[in-house]
Amino acid sequence: MPLRQLGRSTLSVAPLAFGGNVFGWSADEQRSFELLDAFVDAGFNLIDTADVYSAWVPGNRGGESETIIGKWLKRSGKRDKVVIATKVAKWAEHPGLSPININQAVDGSLKRLQTDHIDLYQAHEDDATVPLHETLGAFARLIEQGKVRVIGASNYGADRFGEALAVSAKNNLPRYETLQPEYNLVNRAVYEKELEPLVVAENISVINYYALASGFLSGKYRSEADLGKSAARGGTVRKYLNARGLGILAALDKVAAAHGATPAQVALAWLIARPSVTAPIASATSIPQLTELFGAVKLQLSAEDIAALDRASA
């Protein structure tokens, strides 16, 4: 499995990340263990989660995903085979990016994950109420203490992310080596116009979420009638059921047919082929779904394939 370096750090990851938001939500503990085993045994290593996952589920309070991953790490003995990425700031129990909150939140994450360090600790969202040097200083102390190896950010705008990089350089503080934005074939504009030039210039690795646009790019949802297939995602993908969205699906279908692939594999392969993208995040709740995702890494799109997808999604 070819690995890709995370920014300027010593960490390297395979070109597809597993989204841990499903653990404790649409995948129970046993199924989560099976999925994690299959993912790592296939040669992949980046597992992305957050302390807030999955607080939105009735009966959950948050921390469920990390807890399941921690149990799996202890049972499987595969800690040295994975890069564990988690996040802080969006959970009501530990909101924001103040140094006090970061210090408390990281200890909770470490306990749930049953590990002595987090490989990639990410600011889940910007917190404009806290000066950037205070947040980055708190992260620096966690690195010094050995609790965290590398830091990253999610959901930052280009101006604030650029400012954070400048603060790190000016104050000799660790910098965000990764950025986690929303990016996929139906949501291209903000990333490509604002964020991509910055991450390329600064050698930042991109671990983008919603790689399949909540499942829309799998081709599962093509009409209003299809929205009932998923109570969790049907409402989210309704906004894509327009001429542009259906045109993107048609282009995916055509490229997929030419390669004997699926639309989801093509959508992920398009991301993986983009030089600025390090590892798109995708989730699965069954082994067959996960196996399908694996196929995206082996799929080599031609320049013509990429151009056709670019035109359809422009």
Side-chain angles (χ1 to χ4, degrees):
M1 181 72 66
L3 299 180
R4 299 174 172 187
Q5 185 178 357
L6 289 184
R8 299 173 184 167
S9 77
T10 59
L11 298 180
S12 294
V13 299
L16 182 68
F18 197 115
N21 61 316
V22 296
F23 302 146
W25 175 26
S26 46
D28 63 17
E29 183 175 294
Q30 184 55 45
R31 175 60 57 83
S32 298
F33 287 177
E34 294 168 0
L35 293 166
L36 286 164
D37 280 330
F39 184 75
V40 175
D41 291 348
F44 297 91
N45 64 342
L46 179 55
I47 300 166
D48 181 81
T49 186
D51 56 5
V52 71
Y53 298 167
S54 47
W56 58 85
V57 179
N60 285 4
R61 61 184 295 267
E64 288 80 14
S65 176
E66 290 181 332
T67 297
I68 286 175
I69 293 170
K71 290 181 179 179
W72 172 77
L73 288 173
K74 184 176 182 180
R75 190 206 67 167
S76 69
K78 295 176 180 176
R79 179 64 182 92
D80 62 341
K81 294 185 177 181
V82 294
V83 172
I84 298 295
T86 192
K87 312 181 196 77
V88 57
K90 292 185 77 170
W91 190 16
E93 300 253 342
H94 291 293
L97 294 173
S98 69
I100 291 175
N101 184 65
I102 289 172
N103 288 334
Q104 293 175 343
V106 73
D107 287 340
S109 289
L110 288 168
K111 184 176 181 179
R112 287 184 295 274
L113 289 164
Q114 299 193 51
T115 184
D116 62 355
H117 72 278
I118 293 164
D119 298 301
L120 175 62
Y121 200 38
Q122 302 159 102
H124 205 162
E125 63 182 1
D126 189 14
D127 182 354
T129 70
V130 181
L132 285 166
H133 70 88
E134 291 187 12
T135 293
L136 291 164
F139 283 138
R141 287 186 288 275
L142 296 185
I143 293 173
E144 292 168 0
Q145 294 164 8
K147 294 180 178 181
V148 169
R149 294 182 66 186
V150 176
I151 57 172
S154 179
N155 298 306
Y156 271 53
D159 289 346
R160 282 285 284 181
F161 191 73
E163 186 181 349
L165 295 177
V167 168
S168 292
K170 180 179 179 180
N171 296 280
N172 194 29
L173 293 168
R175 71 170 200 158
Y176 292 135
E177 297 292 348
T178 64
L179 179 65
Q180 192 172 123
E182 178 177 358
Y183 183 50
N184 53 54
L185 270 168
V186 290
N187 291 301
R188 295 177 55 187
V190 172
Y191 173 72
E192 292 180 12
K193 292 179 181 179
E194 300 175 16
L195 292 166
E196 189 171 42
L198 176 60
V199 299
V200 170
E202 296 289 345
N203 189 22
I204 303 295
S205 287
V206 170
I207 308 168
N208 55 299
Y209 66 88
Y210 285 170
L212 293 176
S214 299
F216 175 74
L217 296 173
S218 71
K220 180 179 178 180
Y221 309 98
R222 296 173 184 266
S223 68
E224 287 282 336
D226 292 333
L227 299 180
K229 293 178 180 179
S230 172
R233 299 187 183 277
T236 306
V237 302
R238 177 177 275 108
K239 61 188 175 186
Y240 303 133
L241 290 176
N242 51 39
R244 178 174 177 268
L246 295 176
I248 293 171
L249 290 185
L252 285 171
D253 289 339
K254 185 173 181 180
V255 174
H259 287 274
T262 67
Q265 289 172 334
V266 174
L268 288 173
W270 178 84
L271 287 167
I272 292 169
R274 195 166 189 93
S276 67
V277 172
T278 301
I281 301 170
S283 299
T285 56
S286 71
I287 298 300
Q289 285 180 354
L290 189 59
T291 302
E292 178 186 357
L293 299 182
F294 294 162
V297 177
K298 301 176 183 178
L299 180 57
Q300 297 293 317
L301 299 180
S302 68
E304 292 76 15
D305 294 331
I306 293 172
L309 293 168
D310 286 348
R311 285 194 300 271
S313 59

